[in-house]
Amino acid sequence: MEAEQSQIYALRRVRMVEDQIARRGVRDENVLAAMRSVPRHLFVPDSQVDDAYRDGALPIGFGQTISQPYIVAIMTALLKLDVRSRVLEIGTGCGYQTAVLAELVGEVYTIERVPQLAERAAETLGRLGYRAVQTLVGDGSRGWREHAPYDAIIVTAAAAEAPFALLRELAPDGRLVVPIGAAHGEQMLTVFVRRGDTFEEHEELLCRFVPLIEDRGPEQDDPGGEG
Ligand code: SAM
């Protein structure tokens, strides 16, 4: 019964990749294979399992979301990863994008500011055997200096402007993918590529993300839950 159920989900993933991702122009076969492999339904809350493979973002609690499959795929493809890439993710959420990254590279570092989400994501990733992932609770907009530089950095929340602390942590030719724009409107998915001390900037597509929340220090901090 369980094997049969998991076959059904595997078929839904094949369809998701074909209809929502490949058909919209994502051609990177490694990314498509990773998206066929990661069991998205195991990352969403029980109340969302039936909708796990539909073409949209879903709520995961604390006012946050799991991103639309197409957005996960295109952001991953824009990072241009290879197996040796070291990747930093800002905004672990439920850990789904983290798992897609971990299918492709040997080292993934991921930061989430809502402790309950970080804990749940770490538990899911551990249970599914994603050993290449290290998680941290905190404000990811400040980076994670201990493991820098990174070949790729992905920000899965909307930044008001180019996040300089993160750009500084890119390796030579490293790529940063980040939605930039108003917190509660549309943003431009933007790619920065490090060339020495300068950065090429490419605007890719309009998207809509929950805001990147920069914590203002312990005494001013307000508890999680913003959307
Ligand atoms: N990566 C997720 C996925 O697999 O679908 C989606 C993440 S959700 C769209 C954005 C996440 O960024 C939320 O969980 C939110 O709490 C987190 N976040 C917002 N600001 C942050 C910050 N400064 N540092 C770390 N995480 C942050």
Side-chain angles (χ1 to χ4, degrees), residues 76-212:
T76 308
L78 287 169
L79 293 171
K80 296 199 194 296
L81 303 171
D82 67 47
V83 285
R84 293 175 308 270
S85 302
R86 303 173 70 254
V87 184
L88 175 65
E89 177 191 32
I90 311 305
T92 318
C94 63
Y96 174 70
Q97 168 81 74
T98 323
V100 171
L101 295 169
E103 291 277 337
L104 296 165
V105 305
E107 279 178 72
V108 182
Y109 302 90
T110 183
I111 308 177
E112 170 57 54
R113 71 179 289 278
V114 179
Q116 296 92 328
L117 288 176
E119 198 177 308
R120 201 198 291 159
E123 192 276 318
T124 309
L125 290 161
R127 181 160 39 86
L128 295 177
Y130 289 104
R131 308 255 173 267
V133 178
Q134 287 195 43
T135 56
L136 181 72
V137 176
D139 176 4
S141 67
R142 299 178 187 187
W144 193 347
R145 186 135 36 116
E146 189 186 345
H147 302 289
Y150 303 96
D151 302 298
I153 301 179
I154 176 171
V155 183
T156 65
E161 54 191 26
F164 286 106
L166 297 177
L167 287 169
R168 270 203 301 272
E169 295 194 347
L170 276 182
D173 300 319
R175 301 169 74 84
L176 167 69
V177 176
V178 55
I180 295 186
H184 295 285
E186 280 187 329
Q187 303 97 30
M188 179 56 72
L189 190 61
T190 307
V191 181
F192 293 90
V193 186
R194 180 164 207 157
R195 303 288 187 214
D197 288 335
T198 62
F199 297 91
E200 282 171 19
E201 185 176 340
H202 308 274
E203 295 188 341
E204 297 290 340
L205 80 157
L206 286 170
C207 55
R208 217 175 255 276
F209 271 85
V210 293
L212 182 73

